[in-house]
Amino acid sequence: MSDCIFCKIVDKEIPTEFLYEDETCVIFPDINPAAKTHLLVVPKKHIPTIADLEEGDEKIVGHMVKKAKDIAKEKGLTGYKLQFNVGKDGGQEIFHIHLHLTSTQG
Ligand code: AMP
Ligand code: ZN
């Protein structure tokens, strides 16, 4: 998706400091943090919304949750929230799925 900001971040066309990267996803800080810690877990595959998940994509989503858990542990967070906004009516602004990890700690 050439006009997708998160594809551009994943492809390193927009320089962004990754806290984590593997073959499936990247993790970077939200540019407009809504909490003391606010990270985004973004898959490398362009999937517009959770409502667009296809057969097999559950592996990607499961991996994202696992990596969110891992980075929270690494940062010493003992409590946090994980959230997907789904669709315009669900508050989604960027149509490339991403998992928000927010915490009052950090
Ligand atoms: P959502 O409303 O769930 O689509 O969330 C999109 C999130 O992406 C918002 O919290 C934005 O602050 C964040 N965001 C937008 N552009 C960037 C960027 N270039 N780098 C990091 N986070 C971004
Ligand atoms: Zn994309």
Side-chain angles (χ1 to χ4, degrees):
M1 283 288 290
S2 54
D3 60 346
C4 170
I5 185 170
F6 282 179
C7 280
K8 286 182 179 158
I9 288 175
V10 161
D11 292 340
K12 303 182 172 89
E13 284 171 39
I14 297 175
T16 303
E17 196 186 331
F18 294 156
L19 303 176
Y20 177 80
E21 178 177 16
D22 64 21
E23 64 286 346
T24 304
C25 71
V26 298
I27 302 177
F28 54 87
D30 195 292
I31 204 168
N32 186 20
K36 190 167 181 200
T37 297
H38 189 169
L39 307 180
L40 299 174
V41 185
V42 178
K44 290 191 169 176
K45 179 179 178 183
H46 180 85
I47 303 168
T49 83
I50 286 292
D52 298 306
L53 289 180
E54 295 171 341
E55 208 59 48
D57 287 343
E58 63 271 21
K59 274 191 192 165
I60 295 173
V61 174
H63 183 81
M64 292 165 67
V65 173
K66 167 76 163 53
K67 290 301 153 187
K69 181 275 274 184
D70 287 348
I71 203 159
K73 187 173 183 191
E74 202 179 293
K75 289 186 161 292
L77 306 178
T78 56
Y80 49 90
K81 294 179 183 177
L82 297 178
Q83 178 171 321
F84 284 105
N85 294 330
V86 184
K88 194 165 166 279
D89 293 337
Q92 187 176 358
E93 290 178 354
I94 297 189
F95 286 80
H96 177 135
I97 64 167
H98 48 282
L99 181 58
H100 294 262
L101 188 170
T102 54
S103 178
T104 54
Q105 305 170 330

Coordinates of all heavy atoms in Angstrom, one line a residue, residues 5-7 9-10 16-22 24-44 63-65 67-69 71-72 75 77 81-85 91-103:
I5 N 0.9 5.1 5.8 CA 2.0 5.6 6.6 C 2.7 4.4 7.4 O 3.9 4.5 7.5 CB 1.5 6.7 7.6 CG1 2.6 7.3 8.3 CG2 0.4 6.2 8.5 CD1 2.3 8.6 9.1
F6 N 1.9 3.5 7.9 CA 2.6 2.4 8.6 C 3.4 1.4 7.7 O 4.4 0.9 8.1 CB 1.6 1.6 9.5 CG 1.2 2.4 10.8 CD1 0.3 1.8 11.7 CD2 1.8 3.6 11.1 CE1 0.0 2.5 12.8 CE2 1.5 4.3 12.2 CZ 0.6 3.7 13.1
C7 N 2.9 1.3 6.4 CA 3.7 0.5 5.5 C 5.1 1.3 5.2 O 6.1 0.7 5.1 CB 3.0 0.3 4.1 SG 1.8 -1.0 4.2
I9 N 6.6 3.3 7.3 CA 7.4 3.1 8.5 C 8.0 1.7 8.5 O 9.3 1.6 8.7 CB 6.6 3.4 9.8 CG1 6.3 4.9 9.9 CG2 7.3 2.8 11.0 CD1 5.4 5.3 11.1
V10 N 7.3 0.7 8.2 CA 7.8 -0.7 8.2 C 8.9 -0.8 7.1 O 9.9 -1.5 7.3 CB 6.6 -1.7 7.8 CG1 7.1 -3.0 7.3 CG2 5.7 -1.9 9.1
T16 N 12.0 5.9 11.6 CA 11.3 5.7 12.9 C 12.2 4.8 13.7 O 12.7 3.8 13.2 CB 9.9 5.0 12.7 OG1 9.1 5.9 11.9 CG2 9.2 4.9 14.1
E17 N 12.4 5.1 15.0 CA 13.2 4.3 15.9 C 12.4 3.1 16.3 O 11.4 3.2 17.1 CB 13.7 5.1 17.1 CG 14.9 4.4 17.7 CD 15.3 5.1 19.0 OE1 15.1 6.3 19.1 OE2 15.8 4.4 19.9
F18 N 12.8 1.9 15.9 CA 12.1 0.7 16.3 C 12.7 0.2 17.6 O 13.9 0.1 17.8 CB 12.3 -0.5 15.3 CG 11.6 -0.2 13.9 CD1 12.1 -0.8 12.8 CD2 10.6 0.7 13.8 CE1 11.5 -0.6 11.5 CE2 9.9 0.9 12.6 CZ 10.4 0.3 11.5
L19 N 11.8 -0.1 18.6 CA 12.2 -0.7 19.8 C 12.4 -2.2 19.6 O 13.1 -2.9 20.4 CB 11.2 -0.5 20.9 CG 10.8 1.0 21.2 CD1 9.7 1.2 22.2 CD2 12.1 1.7 21.6
Y20 N 11.7 -2.7 18.6 CA 11.8 -4.2 18.3 C 11.4 -4.4 16.8 O 10.6 -3.6 16.3 CB 10.8 -5.0 19.2 CG 10.8 -6.4 18.9 CD1 11.8 -7.3 19.4 CD2 9.8 -7.0 18.0 CE1 11.8 -8.6 19.1 CE2 9.9 -8.3 17.7 CZ 10.9 -9.1 18.2 OH 10.9 -10.5 17.9
E21 N 12.1 -5.4 16.2 CA 11.7 -5.7 14.8 C 12.0 -7.2 14.6 O 13.1 -7.7 15.1 CB 12.6 -4.9 13.8 CG 12.3 -5.3 12.4 CD 13.0 -4.4 11.3 OE1 14.0 -3.7 11.7 OE2 12.6 -4.5 10.2
D22 N 11.1 -7.9 14.0 CA 11.4 -9.2 13.5 C 10.7 -9.4 12.1 O 10.3 -8.4 11.5 CB 11.0 -10.3 14.5 CG 9.5 -10.3 14.8 OD1 8.7 -9.9 13.9 OD2 9.1 -10.8 15.8
T24 N 8.0 -10.4 11.3 CA 6.5 -10.3 11.3 C 6.0 -8.9 11.7 O 5.0 -8.5 11.2 CB 5.9 -11.4 12.3 OG1 6.4 -12.6 11.9 CG2 4.4 -11.4 12.2
C25 N 6.7 -8.3 12.6 CA 6.2 -7.0 13.2 C 7.3 -6.1 13.6 O 8.5 -6.5 13.7 CB 5.2 -7.3 14.4 SG 6.1 -7.9 15.9
V26 N 6.9 -4.8 13.9 CA 7.8 -3.9 14.5 C 7.1 -3.2 15.6 O 5.8 -3.2 15.7 CB 8.3 -2.8 13.5 CG1 9.0 -3.4 12.3 CG2 7.1 -2.0 13.0
I27 N 7.9 -2.7 16.6 CA 7.3 -1.9 17.7 C 8.0 -0.6 17.8 O 9.2 -0.5 17.7 CB 7.5 -2.7 19.0 CG1 6.8 -4.1 19.0 CG2 6.9 -1.9 20.2 CD1 7.0 -5.0 20.2
F28 N 7.2 0.5 17.9 CA 7.8 1.8 18.0 C 6.8 2.7 18.9 O 5.7 2.4 19.0 CB 8.0 2.5 16.6 CG 6.8 2.5 15.7 CD1 5.9 3.5 15.7 CD2 6.6 1.5 14.8 CE1 4.8 3.6 14.9 CE2 5.5 1.5 13.9 CZ 4.6 2.5 14.0
P29 N 7.4 3.8 19.4 CA 6.6 4.6 20.3 C 5.5 5.4 19.5 O 5.8 5.8 18.3 CB 7.6 5.7 20.9 CG 8.9 5.1 20.6 CD 8.8 4.3 19.4
D30 N 4.3 5.6 20.1 CA 3.3 6.4 19.4 C 3.8 7.9 19.4 O 4.3 8.3 20.4 CB 2.0 6.3 20.2 CG 0.8 6.8 19.4 OD1 0.7 8.0 19.2 OD2 -0.1 6.0 19.0
I31 N 3.6 8.5 18.3 CA 4.1 9.9 18.1 C 3.3 10.9 19.0 O 3.8 11.9 19.3 CB 4.0 10.3 16.6 CG1 5.0 11.4 16.3 CG2 2.6 10.7 16.2 CD1 5.1 11.6 14.8
N32 N 2.1 10.5 19.4 CA 1.2 11.4 20.2 C 0.8 10.6 21.4 O -0.4 10.2 21.5 CB 0.1 11.9 19.3 CG -0.8 12.9 20.1 OD1 -0.3 13.5 21.0 ND2 -2.0 13.0 19.6
P33 N 1.7 10.3 22.4 CA 1.3 9.4 23.5 C 0.1 9.8 24.3 O 0.0 10.9 24.7 CB 2.6 9.3 24.3 CG 3.4 10.5 23.9 CD 3.0 10.9 22.5
A34 N -0.7 8.8 24.5 CA -1.9 9.0 25.3 C -1.7 8.5 26.8 O -2.6 8.6 27.6 CB -3.1 8.3 24.7
A35 N -0.5 8.0 27.1 CA -0.2 7.5 28.4 C 1.3 7.6 28.6 O 2.0 7.9 27.6 CB -0.6 6.1 28.5
K36 N 1.8 7.4 29.8 CA 3.2 7.5 30.1 C 4.0 6.6 29.1 O 5.0 7.0 28.6 CB 3.5 7.2 31.5 CG 4.9 7.5 31.9 CD 5.1 7.5 33.4 CE 6.6 7.8 33.8 NZ 6.9 7.4 35.1
T37 N 3.6 5.4 29.0 CA 4.1 4.5 28.0 C 3.0 4.3 26.9 O 1.9 4.0 27.3 CB 4.5 3.1 28.6 OG1 5.5 3.3 29.5 CG2 4.9 2.1 27.5
H38 N 3.3 4.5 25.7 CA 2.4 4.3 24.6 C 3.2 3.8 23.4 O 3.8 4.5 22.7 CB 1.6 5.5 24.2 CG 0.5 5.3 23.3 ND1 -0.5 6.3 23.0 CD2 0.1 4.2 22.5 CE1 -1.4 5.8 22.2 NE2 -1.0 4.6 21.8
L39 N 3.1 2.5 23.2 CA 3.8 1.8 22.1 C 2.8 1.3 21.1 O 1.6 1.0 21.4 CB 4.7 0.7 22.6 CG 5.7 1.0 23.7 CD1 6.5 -0.2 24.1 CD2 6.6 2.1 23.3
L40 N 3.2 1.1 19.8 CA 2.4 0.5 18.8 C 3.1 -0.7 18.3 O 4.3 -0.7 17.9 CB 2.2 1.5 17.6 CG 1.5 2.8 18.0 CD1 1.5 3.7 16.7 CD2 0.1 2.6 18.5
V41 N 2.4 -1.8 18.2 CA 2.9 -3.1 17.6 C 2.2 -3.2 16.3 O 1.0 -3.2 16.2 CB 2.5 -4.3 18.5 CG1 3.2 -5.5 17.9 CG2 3.0 -4.1 19.9
V42 N 3.1 -3.2 15.2 CA 2.5 -3.1 13.8 C 3.1 -4.2 13.0 O 4.3 -4.4 12.9 CB 3.0 -1.7 13.2 CG1 2.5 -1.6 11.8 CG2 2.5 -0.5 14.0
P43 N 2.2 -5.0 12.4 CA 2.6 -6.1 11.5 C 3.2 -5.6 10.2 O 2.8 -4.5 9.7 CB 1.3 -6.9 11.3 CG 0.3 -5.8 11.3 CD 0.7 -4.8 12.3
K44 N 4.1 -6.3 9.7 CA 4.7 -5.9 8.4 C 3.7 -6.1 7.2 O 3.7 -5.4 6.3 CB 6.0 -6.7 8.1 CG 7.1 -6.3 9.1 CD 8.5 -6.8 8.7 CE 9.5 -6.1 9.6 NZ 10.9 -6.6 9.4
H63 N 1.1 -13.3 17.4 CA 2.5 -12.9 17.5 C 2.6 -11.5 18.1 O 3.4 -11.2 18.9 CB 3.1 -13.0 16.1 CG 4.6 -12.7 16.1 ND1 5.6 -13.7 16.5 CD2 5.3 -11.6 15.8 CE1 6.8 -13.1 16.4 NE2 6.6 -11.9 16.0
M64 N 1.7 -10.6 17.6 CA 1.7 -9.2 18.0 C 1.5 -9.1 19.5 O 2.1 -8.4 20.3 CB 0.7 -8.4 17.3 CG 1.0 -8.2 15.8 SD -0.4 -7.6 14.9 CE -0.7 -6.0 15.6
V65 N 0.5 -9.9 20.0 CA 0.1 -9.9 21.4 C 1.3 -10.4 22.2 O 1.7 -9.9 23.3 CB -1.1 -10.7 21.7 CG1 -1.4 -10.8 23.2 CG2 -2.3 -10.0 21.0
K67 N 4.5 -10.4 21.5 CA 5.6 -9.4 21.5 C 5.3 -8.2 22.3 O 6.2 -7.6 23.0 CB 6.0 -9.0 20.0 CG 6.6 -10.1 19.2 CD 7.9 -10.6 19.9 CE 8.2 -12.0 19.6 NZ 9.3 -12.5 20.3
A68 N 4.0 -7.8 22.4 CA 3.6 -6.8 23.3 C 3.9 -7.2 24.8 O 4.4 -6.4 25.6 CB 2.1 -6.4 23.1
K69 N 3.5 -8.4 25.1 CA 3.7 -8.9 26.4 C 5.2 -9.0 26.7 O 5.7 -8.6 27.8 CB 3.2 -10.4 26.5 CG 3.3 -11.1 27.8 CD 4.6 -11.8 28.0 CE 4.6 -13.2 27.4 NZ 5.9 -13.9 27.7
I71 N 7.7 -7.1 25.4 CA 8.3 -5.7 25.6 C 7.8 -5.1 26.9 O 8.6 -4.4 27.6 CB 8.1 -4.8 24.4 CG1 9.2 -3.8 24.3 CG2 6.7 -4.2 24.3 CD1 9.4 -3.1 23.0
A72 N 6.6 -5.4 27.3 CA 6.1 -4.9 28.6 C 6.9 -5.4 29.7 O 7.3 -4.7 30.6 CB 4.6 -5.2 28.7
K75 N 10.3 -3.9 29.8 CA 10.3 -2.5 30.4 C 9.9 -2.5 31.8 O 9.7 -1.4 32.4 CB 9.3 -1.6 29.6 CG 9.9 -1.3 28.2 CD 9.0 -0.4 27.4 CE 9.7 0.3 26.3 NZ 10.8 1.2 26.7
L77 N 7.0 -3.2 33.1 CA 5.6 -2.8 33.3 C 4.8 -4.0 34.0 O 4.8 -5.1 33.5 CB 4.9 -2.5 32.0 CG 5.6 -1.5 31.1 CD1 4.8 -1.3 29.8 CD2 5.7 -0.1 31.8
K81 N -2.5 -1.8 29.1 CA -3.7 -2.1 28.3 C -3.2 -2.4 26.9 O -2.3 -1.8 26.4 CB -4.7 -0.9 28.3 CG -5.3 -0.6 29.7 CD -6.2 0.6 29.6 CE -6.8 0.9 31.0 NZ -7.6 2.0 31.0
L82 N -3.9 -3.3 26.3 CA -3.7 -3.6 24.9 C -5.0 -3.4 24.1 O -6.0 -3.9 24.5 CB -3.3 -5.1 24.7 CG -2.0 -5.5 25.4 CD1 -1.7 -7.0 25.2 CD2 -0.8 -4.7 24.8
Q83 N -4.9 -2.6 23.1 CA -6.1 -2.2 22.4 C -6.0 -2.1 20.9 O -5.0 -1.5 20.3 CB -6.6 -0.8 22.9 CG -7.9 -0.3 22.2 CD -8.4 0.9 22.9 OE1 -8.4 1.0 24.2 NE2 -8.9 1.9 22.1
F84 N -7.0 -2.7 20.2 CA -7.1 -2.5 18.7 C -8.3 -1.6 18.6 O -9.4 -1.9 19.0 CB -7.4 -3.8 18.0 CG -6.3 -4.7 17.8 CD1 -6.2 -5.9 18.6 CD2 -5.3 -4.5 16.8 CE1 -5.1 -6.8 18.4 CE2 -4.3 -5.4 16.6 CZ -4.2 -6.5 17.4
N85 N -8.2 -0.5 17.9 CA -9.4 0.3 17.4 C -9.7 -0.3 16.1 O -8.9 -0.5 15.2 CB -9.0 1.8 17.3 CG -8.7 2.4 18.6 OD1 -9.2 2.0 19.7 ND2 -7.8 3.4 18.6
G91 N -12.9 4.4 16.2 CA -11.8 5.3 16.5 C -10.5 5.0 15.8 O -9.5 5.6 16.1
Q92 N -10.5 4.1 14.8 CA -9.3 3.8 14.0 C -9.1 5.0 13.0 O -10.0 5.4 12.3 CB -9.5 2.5 13.3 CG -8.2 2.1 12.6 CD -8.3 0.7 12.0 OE1 -9.3 0.0 12.0 NE2 -7.2 0.3 11.3
E93 N -7.8 5.5 13.0 CA -7.4 6.6 12.1 C -6.5 6.1 11.0 O -6.4 6.7 9.9 CB -6.8 7.7 12.9 CG -7.9 8.4 13.7 CD -7.3 9.6 14.6 OE1 -6.1 9.7 14.6 OE2 -8.1 10.3 15.2
I94 N -5.6 5.1 11.4 CA -4.7 4.6 10.4 C -5.1 3.2 10.1 O -5.2 2.3 10.9 CB -3.3 4.6 11.0 CG1 -2.9 6.1 11.2 CG2 -2.3 3.9 10.1 CD1 -1.5 6.4 11.6
F95 N -5.4 3.0 8.8 CA -6.0 1.7 8.3 C -4.9 0.7 7.9 O -4.8 0.3 6.8 CB -7.0 2.0 7.3 CG -8.3 2.6 7.9 CD1 -8.3 3.9 8.3 CD2 -9.3 1.7 8.3 CE1 -9.4 4.4 8.9 CE2 -10.4 2.2 9.0 CZ -10.5 3.6 9.3
H96 N -4.1 0.4 8.9 CA -3.1 -0.7 8.9 C -3.1 -1.2 10.3 O -2.7 -0.4 11.2 CB -1.8 -0.2 8.4 CG -0.6 -1.1 8.4 ND1 0.3 -1.2 7.3 CD2 -0.2 -2.0 9.3 CE1 1.2 -2.2 7.6 NE2 0.9 -2.7 8.8
I97 N -3.5 -2.4 10.6 CA -3.8 -2.8 12.0 C -2.6 -2.5 12.9 O -1.4 -2.6 12.4 CB -4.2 -4.2 12.1 CG1 -3.2 -5.3 11.7 CG2 -5.6 -4.5 11.5 CD1 -3.5 -6.7 12.1
H98 N -2.9 -2.1 14.1 CA -1.8 -1.9 15.1 C -2.4 -2.1 16.5 O -3.6 -1.8 16.7 CB -1.3 -0.5 14.9 CG -2.3 0.6 14.8 ND1 -3.0 0.8 13.7 CD2 -2.8 1.4 15.7 CE1 -3.9 1.8 13.8 NE2 -3.8 2.2 15.1
L99 N -1.6 -2.6 17.3 CA -2.0 -2.9 18.7 C -1.4 -1.8 19.6 O -0.1 -1.6 19.6 CB -1.4 -4.3 19.1 CG -1.8 -4.8 20.5 CD1 -3.3 -4.8 20.8 CD2 -1.1 -6.1 20.7
H100 N -2.2 -1.0 20.3 CA -1.8 0.0 21.2 C -1.4 -0.7 22.5 O -2.2 -1.5 23.1 CB -2.9 1.0 21.5 CG -3.3 1.9 20.4 ND1 -2.8 3.1 20.2 CD2 -4.2 1.6 19.4 CE1 -3.4 3.7 19.1 NE2 -4.2 2.8 18.6
L101 N -0.2 -0.4 23.0 CA 0.2 -0.9 24.4 C 0.3 0.4 25.2 O 1.2 1.2 24.9 CB 1.5 -1.6 24.3 CG 2.0 -2.3 25.6 CD1 3.2 -3.2 25.3 CD2 2.4 -1.4 26.7
T102 N -0.6 0.6 26.2 CA -0.5 1.8 27.0 C -0.4 1.4 28.5 O -0.9 0.4 28.9 CB -1.7 2.7 26.8 OG1 -2.9 2.0 27.1 CG2 -1.8 3.3 25.4
S103 N 0.3 2.3 29.2 CA 0.5 2.0 30.6 C 0.8 3.4 31.4 O 1.4 4.3 30.8 CB 1.7 1.1 30.9 OG 1.9 0.9 32.3

